[in-house]
Amino acid sequence: MPLRVRPVELDLPFDRTLPDQIRPMLPMPAATPFDSPEYAFEVAWNGVRAMAALEGGRVSLWGRNLTDLTNRYPEVESLKEMTPADSIVDGELIVTDVDGRPDPLALQEREHATTSAAIARAIADHPVTYVVYDLLYARGRSLMREPLHRRQGRLRESIRSANRIYVADPVVAEGFAFFDAAQEKGLAGVIAKRLDSPYRPGQRHPDWLEVRSARQQDFAVLGFIPGSGSRRIEALVVGIYETGGYLPSG
């Protein structure tokens, strides 16, 4: 049954039943990393943003644009084994490679799997991990007005990392070192969040800042895949030059 949509505003009362859906809070871009004891720093996973609710023993999952994702990523069902009743969490779906780094191409294959048969094959080939980094409701109570550090403290007390669920472990104050470590591991960047910030659903706000890793690579365009309708080109075929020849690249 499709999820119903009821917009959620920041001025919700603390005690009430769960809303049907909440739009995620979004970061503003920042040009450079920084250190600050007022911020917690997290990995920018570059995955599929997803909100999850546990109510009545059932897990519901929806995307940034309120698209129902529940049946497409059944791995997240394990949330009901470790999450307080009547809760909503904010997180991100990722697929990792053999080294534990996000694999965007494998994640794209998961996104394109929509039929039952395709989803079953994709789960076997590219299982997702749900990275949880915020707790917005717990036992029917809104936590969105509480500061981030308190919400994340409640999150770590309430949910453990297990069964395709990973609870984010932010670093406080050490933004430069965290950003350098993210770059060394080939990650997309970092998200800096003010420790005293409330959760502002559906808003892009400077309390959250995203610093992207700078990646540069020279490619040669080898061809293209024709599109359809108004989309004349579906994708480019590019190559990297190595020792006398071009190697195709994603």
Side-chain angles (χ1 to χ4, degrees), residues 7 14 33-34 40 44-45 52 69 71 78 89 93 100 111 119 125 135 142 151 159 162 169 179 228 233 238 245 250:
F14 269 172
F34 59 93
W45 293 103
L69 303 176
N71 295 328
S78 58
V89 296
L93 297 160
E111 289 185 82
I119 291 170
D125 295 337
L135 179 63
S142 173
R151 298 196 310 272
I159 306 176
D169 188 18
F179 180 79
S228 58
I233 297 177
V238 300

Side-chain angles (χ1 to χ4, degrees), residues 92-212:
E92 203 159 349
L93 297 160
I94 64 171
V95 176
T96 57
D97 60 19
V98 293
D99 297 317
R101 293 176 299 192
D103 186 338
L105 293 178
L107 180 63
Q108 190 174 62
E109 290 189 32
R110 280 303 304 264
E111 289 185 82
H112 292 163
T114 56
T115 67
S116 298
I119 291 170
R121 290 192 299 269
I123 291 172
D125 295 337
H126 305 300
V128 299
T129 296
Y130 185 43
V131 181
V132 184
Y133 39 69
D134 215 331
L135 179 63
L136 309 184
Y137 271 76
R139 304 193 185 282
R141 179 184 175 90
S142 173
L143 307 178
M144 291 192 290
R145 289 188 178 186
E146 297 191 14
L148 173 71
H149 69 86
R150 192 172 300 162
R151 298 196 310 272
Q152 291 189 331
R154 290 280 299 274
L155 173 65
R156 290 188 287 272
E157 292 171 359
S158 303
I159 306 176
R160 66 186 186 279
S161 296
N163 302 326
R164 313 305 307 181
I165 306 298
Y166 174 71
V167 179
D169 188 18
V171 170
V172 175
E174 303 295 331
F176 279 114
F178 194 75
F179 180 79
D180 289 344
Q183 280 203 308
E184 288 177 8
K185 293 182 179 296
L187 300 174
V190 302
I191 307 290
K193 299 179 179 179
R194 284 190 65 92
L195 290 167
D196 62 356
S197 61
Y199 194 91
R200 297 177 170 87
Q203 294 186 34
R204 191 177 294 277
H205 195 277
D207 276 353
W208 290 12
L209 298 170
E210 182 175 21
V211 186
R212 305 290 291 184

Side-chain angles (χ1 to χ4, degrees), residues 65-85:
N65 295 321
L66 306 183
T67 305
D68 187 1
L69 303 176
T70 306
N71 295 328
R72 292 172 60 182
Y73 300 99
E75 296 97 322
V76 180
E77 275 288 308
S78 58
L79 265 178
K80 64 185 178 184
E81 302 169 7
M82 60 190 74
T83 307

Side-chain angles (χ1 to χ4, degrees), residues 214-246:
R215 300 184 193 178
Q216 293 185 344
Q217 175 70 58
D218 291 327
F219 294 96
V221 178
L222 305 178
F224 67 92
I225 299 172
S228 58
S230 61
R231 191 172 184 175
R232 300 180 63 184
I233 297 177
E234 179 69 25
L236 292 176
V237 179
V238 300
I240 303 171
Y241 187 81
E242 285 191 8
T243 59
Y246 284 100

